[in-house]
Amino acid sequence: MTEQPLIAVLDYGIGNLRSAQKALQRCGADARLTVDHGLIADADAVVLPGVGAFGACMAALRDADLEDSVEEAVDSGRPFLGICVGMQMLFDSSEEDDSAVGLGVIPGTIRWLGSELPRPQMQWNLLTLNLSDDQMFVGLSSEAWVYFVHSLHAVPEDHAVIAATCTYGGVVNAAFRYGNVFATQFHPEKSGSWGISLLGNFVRIAAGATKP
């Protein structure tokens, strides 16, 4: 088992990617912002953060020549974490930008939150854990509060992949498990002790991962 797992944080120039890197380092990982294909291939785990607009993030990821690296990391079976718009990018498409094509890792669509409440949801919210036995939720209490900043959420074709939800004018899908991929609409790096617990679980999973 690797004591300090190497985690590649994909650096495609959008938003404050360093905050995710620093949070993972705090949890004991050798987390590196990178566009280096070799380092990404050698990493024990890979993280795709993201903030802003779906279409702009997809364009930036492709301009950085990282789309194939995402696909290879997912296909390898290594632990993979998508955060916020990084989570949204794993889906097929988004109502935010009909012309943008997502990565298609998780079948489904990103849809607008209901208009009866302010958008974006910019607040702490309580998670309901659908997959409470998932390794990513080890040590999280049934009252885990996490921080959201978003106007859209993911609606997968298979609702069995929804790992957690919250309530904001109705049920909002907040986290997903799809094989070796875990993805969150909320920002664990901004979610205090609950977020650090979740990222710590990801680091421990990465430390026990066996690369092909």
Side-chain angles (χ1 to χ4, degrees):
M1 178 181 292
T2 305
E3 290 185 1
Q4 189 180 46
L6 174 61
I7 297 181
V9 181
L10 301 185
D11 184 7
Y12 58 106
I14 291 287
N16 185 15
L17 305 179
R18 194 168 297 279
S19 61
Q21 177 200 20
K22 289 181 177 178
L24 289 161
Q25 290 173 341
R26 178 181 170 187
C27 293
D30 177 9
R32 305 185 197 178
L33 278 176
T34 185
V35 295
D36 185 291
H37 289 205
L39 190 151
I40 297 166
D42 287 340
D44 297 294
V46 176
V47 177
L48 176 62
V51 296
F54 180 91
C57 286
M58 284 306 313
L61 187 79
R62 290 177 172 130
D63 287 346
D65 192 26
L66 289 173
E67 184 173 13
D68 287 347
S69 291
V70 171
E71 293 175 356
E72 290 163 4
V74 170
D75 290 345
S76 74
R78 288 173 290 158
F80 190 101
L81 175 62
I83 298 173
C84 196
V85 178
M87 175 279 291
Q88 295 181 8
M89 294 160 69
L90 295 171
F91 285 78
D92 296 316
S93 60
S94 174
E95 292 181 344
E96 186 179 28
D97 187 339
D98 291 338
S99 66
V101 178
L103 293 164
V105 172
I106 305 175
T109 303
I110 307 303
R111 301 194 183 279
W112 290 105
L113 296 173
S115 58
E116 65 275 10
L117 289 174
R119 294 195 305 227
Q121 175 186 197
M122 188 180 299
Q123 63 176 23
W124 291 78
N125 207 328
L126 179 65
L127 286 183
T128 297
L129 306 183
N130 293 2
L131 304 179
S132 58
D133 58 348
D134 193 287
Q135 287 181 293
M136 286 290 287
F137 293 143
V138 171
L140 269 73
S141 72
S142 59
E143 293 191 354
W145 289 84
V146 293
Y147 190 72
F148 290 84
V149 183
H150 68 121
S151 296
L152 302 100
H153 76 135
V155 180
E157 291 183 5
D158 181 3
H159 285 202
V161 307
I162 301 171
T165 62
C166 69
T167 300
Y168 187 72
V171 175
V172 174
N173 298 325
F176 305 86
R177 166 63 75 185
Y178 191 81
N180 56 308
V181 175
F182 192 85
T184 68
Q185 179 59 72
F186 57 89
H187 286 274
E189 76 281 9
K190 297 179 181 179
S191 296
S193 59
W194 291 282
I196 290 298
S197 291
L198 187 141
L199 291 176
N201 288 335
F202 184 73
V203 171
R204 283 187 286 275
I205 293 166
T210 302
K211 295 194 292 284

